[in-house]
Amino acid sequence: MTSTPLVTWLDHTGSTQDHVLSAAAAHPERWPHLSAAATLDQRSGHGRRGRDWTTPPGTALAVSVVLRPDVDLEHYTWVTLVAAAATCGELQARGVPAQVKWPNDVLAEDGRKLCGILASVLPDQSGLVVGLGLNLDFGPGGSPVPTATSVADWVPAGALPEAPELLESVLTALSEGLDAFSLAVREHSTAGDGAANGEADGAAHGEVDGEHPAVAGVVRQVATLGTEVTVHLPGGSTLAGTARGLGPGGTLLVQPADHGKMDTAVPGATWRGELLEVSAADVVHLRR
């Protein structure tokens, strides 16, 4: 499915995610795979769980891209991590020591945030819109918050790429990563699943967890794994432990630090053997 990104640059917008979701829902024929809207002046951006995401004009690249992966809907939950891994790899190729933090951030090696990613399924479920906010250069004044950093902080003076060049390379890496994921899901789908159901359309079936070949490259980029973490679960409870792997759909598997003292039920998490599976949470890295 690899194709050339088709990017519309906006002088400014409230939210690229809102812009593309609305436009692609109204006129899907005008928004094929890898079509995107981008700006250096996003004024009402969104983060996960309804949070606002704002940066000073000209300091960050905001882009939302339509993706129509050739996999079943059940596998869409992996796309955020696929996008994060692709972005991470492209930044690493430019000398930025980037790493992925589950579920949707790209951090520098010192733990400061470079990029946030948000995915929304289109209303007709024909694809997704993936939004990326990538910090480019905060200028002489530095980052507006201590938890953020930018590409310019990690590359030599004068080596910061122009935004259109960087965006094209990130979208190309994302396209290649998504194609590889989709192909591997189909090739390694549950043996005999299609034949047993009389299916010949190549649909991708079968559970995909962190041990699946389709996500091997993604898993290598996720610095959360093997790290001691504090997990802030929906509803306000917290979980301390060590991130041990990724479950079906890209969920996080955590070995609790105080397993023997825990209640059987943990609100916001599900037991998978000796590990707790988390599908939605904020994670704080402590140490490896």
Side-chain angles (χ1 to χ4, degrees):
M1 189 188 290
T2 301
S3 55
T4 302
L6 179 63
V7 180
T8 300
W9 281 91
L10 307 172
D11 290 337
H12 61 81
T13 189
S15 160
T16 60
Q17 195 77 352
D18 290 346
H19 177 93
V20 174
L21 278 169
S22 175
H27 301 284
E29 72 283 356
R30 301 179 188 175
W31 291 87
H33 180 67
L34 275 190
S35 53
T39 186
L40 296 176
D41 186 3
Q42 178 174 250
R43 300 177 179 181
S44 304
H46 303 311
R48 287 180 62 248
R49 301 170 74 177
R51 298 187 182 98
D52 293 332
W53 188 87
T54 58
T55 54
T59 64
L61 168 65
V63 59
S64 292
V65 56
V66 174
L67 300 176
R68 303 186 186 276
D70 190 15
V71 293
D72 287 347
L73 182 66
E74 66 184 287
H75 302 305
Y76 280 14
T77 53
W78 274 105
V79 173
T80 299
L81 283 170
V82 171
T87 304
C88 186
E90 182 57 32
L91 292 176
Q92 290 169 348
R94 295 173 180 272
V96 180
Q99 57 189 22
V100 175
K101 187 185 86 166
W102 187 91
N104 69 322
D105 287 335
V106 178
L107 309 180
E109 63 181 2
D110 64 1
R112 290 184 294 163
K113 185 171 177 175
L114 283 160
C115 178
I117 299 173
L118 178 69
S120 306
V121 177
L122 287 165
D124 64 359
Q125 299 186 344
S126 64
L128 310 89
V129 176
V130 172
L132 293 89
L134 175 60
N135 299 328
L136 298 177
D137 186 358
F138 290 122
S143 168
V145 293
T147 54
T149 186
S150 69
V151 175
D153 293 335
W154 300 94
V155 298
L160 181 68
E162 294 294 325
E165 175 198 345
L166 182 57
L167 176 57
E168 182 175 2
S169 66
V170 167
L171 291 181
T172 298
L174 172 53
S175 177
E176 293 172 350
L178 189 59
D179 283 352
F181 168 76
S182 301
L183 178 61
V185 168
R186 295 195 303 274
E187 288 184 340
H188 296 87
S189 58
T190 303
D193 190 39
N197 293 297
E199 297 172 353
D201 60 359
H205 295 279
E207 193 171 78
V208 175
D209 62 14
E211 300 296 320
H212 196 286
V215 295
V218 173
V219 171
R220 285 194 294 268
Q221 295 281 24
V222 181
T224 307
L225 302 182
T227 301
E228 291 183 22
V229 295
T230 298
V231 181
H232 296 272
L233 297 163
S237 60
T238 60
L239 167 66
T242 302
R244 293 301 188 193
L246 298 177
T251 57
L252 187 65
L253 302 177
V254 179
Q255 180 181 24
D258 52 356
H259 182 201
K261 302 177 183 178
M262 296 184 69
D263 294 333
T264 302
V266 179
T270 304
W271 285 103
R272 275 187 174 263
E274 297 296 307
L275 303 178
L276 277 168
E277 180 180 38
V278 177
S279 59
D282 290 324
V283 172
V284 177
H285 289 183
L286 301 179
R287 60 180 181 271
R288 295 183 75 86

